[in-house]
Amino acid sequence: MGQLLDRVTAKASALQIPIQAHLDVTWKCNERCVHCYLDHGIGGDMTTDEIRTLFDQLAAAGTFFLVISGGEIMLRKDIFDIVAHARSLLLDVRLKTNGLLIRKPEAERFGRLGVRTVDISIYSWRHEVHDAVTLIPGSLARSLAAVRYLRDEGMEVEMRTTIMRDSAADYPGIQALAKELGVVARFDPTMNPRLDGDRKPFDYRVSNETLKEIYRDPRLAEEAYCAPPSPVDADVLDGHSCEAGHGGVYITPQGDVTPCVQFPMVCGNIRRNTFAEIWNGPQFRRLRDVRVRNLPVCSTCANSPVCSRCPGLAYSETGDFRAPSSIDCEKSFARTGIPSALMQIRSAASSRAQENGAGFAGLGASSPLVQIAGIQ
C-alpha cells in the first residue's frame, strides 16, 4: 500500500496536482510550547463558509489528502462541521492536535465522520518533562487519554515527538509507551524559526553530537545514517528538493497560500483569488522550474543525493529558497560525516579572513563567499 501511495504522489507531483493540502484552521492554542514557531495572538481566521469554499476548490484541483491542524483545532467550535465538509468531498482527513480537549464524545464524533489518522504531540513519557515543554500542568495525562479514546474508535493514532535538548534521551520510553498503547511513535529533531524570524526555538535543538547518535539509531531511522552517500548524478541534479509546491500546498488560517507549512513564501490569498489561480500563478511556476542543478551551492554538494534539503528553511534563513539551509547542512553532516558544500565555503572564508587578520568583516559585503554562504 505504501509503494502505491508513493507512486500516486509522485505522479501527482509530475502533473502538478496538489494531491496533499495542509490547512491550519487557527493559530490559537491552549498550550504554550517553548519551541513553537507560531504567533498565537494572530487572529483573522477564515470563517466556516470560507473554509468550505476552500475545500471545494481543493477537491476540484485534485486534492485527496488533507491535513487539518493549528494551533489547536479543538478551539474552533465549528471543527466538526469543517471535518464533515471535507469528508463529504471524500477527502482523506488527518488531524493534528494536542488532544487536551478530546474525550470520548469528541473521539466518537471524529470516528463517525471517518477521520483516518490523528497525530498527537507527545514530548516525553515523563510528565514533568512533557509538561515543562507545554507549560500546562497535567497536559501529558490529558494528551494520553485522547490517544486512548481515538484509538478505541478505530483511528490510526501517531504520537509525534520533536526531539529536544532536554528530552533527547526519552525516545526509548516514548517508543515503549507507544507499543503499550498500540499506536505509532514518530520523531523529528528539526526546529523551525518563529514566523517573525526569531530563532529562539533553536535554543532547544539537540547538539550536533546527539544528532549524529540519532541518525545512527535504527529505532529512529526515518532519515538513516548513510556514509558515504551515493554519487551525484543526472537523476539527482534533475530532481526537486522536495514536493512543496509540486504536489503539496499549505494554507494559513488567514487564507495565505504557501508551498509548505515550513516555507513562508506567500503566493496568494484565497480571500482575493481562487485556489486554482494561485496554484497556477507565477510564484508557484517559478518554484517548480527550479531543479537541484539550478541551486548554486547545493548542486555542488556531495551530500545532495541524501540531503533532506528544505527550501522553506533556506527561505526563512536567507530569503532565497535556492540557497542552502544551514539546518539541513548540519543534518546531512550528521548522517554522512561529510561536510556540506556550505560548510566548506564557510570554512574557507573563515580561514581566508583569519589569514587577513580581519574576520568575516574583512571580506566585505560584496564578496561572493559572503553572499553565497550568508555570513553577513
Side-chain angles (χ1 to χ4, degrees):
M1 186 65 173
Q3 292 181 344
L4 175 60
L5 289 177
D6 288 343
R7 291 200 298 271
V8 169
T9 301
K11 184 69 171 180
S13 178
L15 296 173
Q16 299 176 7
I17 297 171
I19 193 168
Q20 303 180 73
H22 179 156
L23 169 67
D24 280 353
V25 292
T26 186
W27 283 340
K28 298 179 180 68
C29 193
N30 50 358
E31 291 185 333
R32 287 295 179 266
C33 296
V34 295
H35 65 295
C36 186
Y37 60 91
L38 295 175
D39 183 342
H40 301 304
I42 295 178
D45 298 346
M46 287 185 286
T47 65
T48 311
D49 285 341
E50 286 177 319
I51 292 176
R52 288 194 185 110
T53 299
L54 170 63
F55 288 173
D56 292 342
Q57 294 179 10
L58 288 172
T63 299
F64 179 70
F65 300 103
L66 176 66
V67 175
I68 299 177
S69 181
E72 174 47 47
I73 63 172
M74 298 305 293
L75 294 182
R76 294 260 330 203
K77 295 181 179 179
D78 58 353
I79 186 61
F80 295 106
D81 293 332
I82 289 171
V83 173
H85 190 71
R87 292 296 300 133
S88 74
L89 297 168
L90 301 183
L91 296 174
D92 179 88
V93 173
R94 183 184 204 113
L95 303 178
K96 291 181 178 289
T97 174
N98 57 41
L100 296 191
L101 299 177
I102 295 178
R103 294 294 180 263
K104 186 174 177 59
E106 291 79 17
E108 289 176 343
R109 290 188 70 177
F110 284 134
R112 288 196 298 269
L113 287 170
V115 171
R116 183 172 63 89
T117 309
V118 183
D119 296 344
I120 294 189
S121 300
I122 301 292
Y123 301 111
S124 173
W125 60 274
R126 295 181 290 162
H127 291 260
E128 67 274 16
V129 175
H130 175 95
D131 294 359
V133 173
T134 65
L135 303 183
I136 302 296
S139 57
L140 178 59
R142 294 166 65 184
S143 293
L144 291 178
V147 169
R148 296 182 179 93
Y149 290 129
L150 294 161
R151 175 207 62 191
D152 291 347
E153 293 303 319
M155 279 162 275
E156 298 174 15
V157 180
E158 294 190 2
M159 290 169 28
R160 294 284 182 138
T161 300
T162 301
I163 301 179
M164 291 184 278
R165 181 194 62 204
D166 297 333
S167 59
D170 285 6
Y171 64 82
I174 294 174
Q175 287 180 317
L177 179 60
K179 184 176 181 180
E180 176 187 331
L181 294 172
V183 301
V184 174
R186 297 197 184 278
F187 304 88
D188 187 356
T190 304
M191 290 289 175
N192 297 309
R194 289 179 177 159
L195 293 177
D196 61 3
D198 186 348
R199 296 171 67 87
K200 181 66 176 176
F202 293 168
D203 292 349
Y204 300 95
R205 286 191 298 178
V206 297
S207 68
N208 288 339
E209 200 56 41
T210 300
L211 197 60
K212 292 178 184 178
E213 295 174 5
I214 288 171
Y215 285 128
R216 284 161 177 74
D217 190 332
R219 293 173 296 182
L220 302 177
E222 287 190 33
E223 298 174 25
Y225 172 68
C226 47
S230 304
V232 179
D233 56 21
D235 287 342
V236 172
L237 293 174
D238 288 335
H240 303 289
S241 294
C242 74
E243 294 304 306
H246 296 271
V249 68
Y250 167 69
I251 304 98
T252 73
Q254 300 78 31
D256 286 334
V257 181
T258 79
C260 172
V261 66
Q262 291 185 169
F263 195 162
M265 182 177 75
V266 178
C267 300
N269 187 288
I270 58 93
R271 283 171 162 163
R272 295 189 293 271
N273 297 95
T274 67
F275 176 78
E277 289 170 340
I278 299 168
W279 179 253
N280 297 311
Q283 286 184 280
F284 274 113
R285 290 201 305 270
R286 181 166 63 94
L287 172 64
R288 294 178 195 127
D289 285 341
V290 175
R291 309 277 175 164
V292 172
R293 68 171 65 254
N294 304 129
L295 306 175
V297 177
C298 297
S299 60
T300 69
C301 186
N303 289 328
S304 289
V306 296
C307 183
S308 57
R309 178 186 180 274
C310 173
L313 288 175
Y315 183 83
S316 295
E317 286 184 49
T318 69
D320 183 357
F321 64 78
R322 290 162 297 192
S325 159
S326 61
I327 298 171
D328 287 310
C329 288
E330 291 173 4
K331 290 168 67 177
S332 69
F333 180 50
R335 294 177 65 197
T336 69
I338 299 173
S340 71
L342 176 64
M343 289 177 171
Q344 294 179 44
I345 289 172
R346 287 181 168 174
S347 177
S350 177
S351 296
R352 184 176 300 179
Q354 289 174 4
E355 289 174 3
N356 293 337
F360 286 135
L363 292 173
S366 62
S367 165
L369 286 175
V370 169
Q371 293 177 348
I372 291 173
I375 294 168
Q376 292 186 338

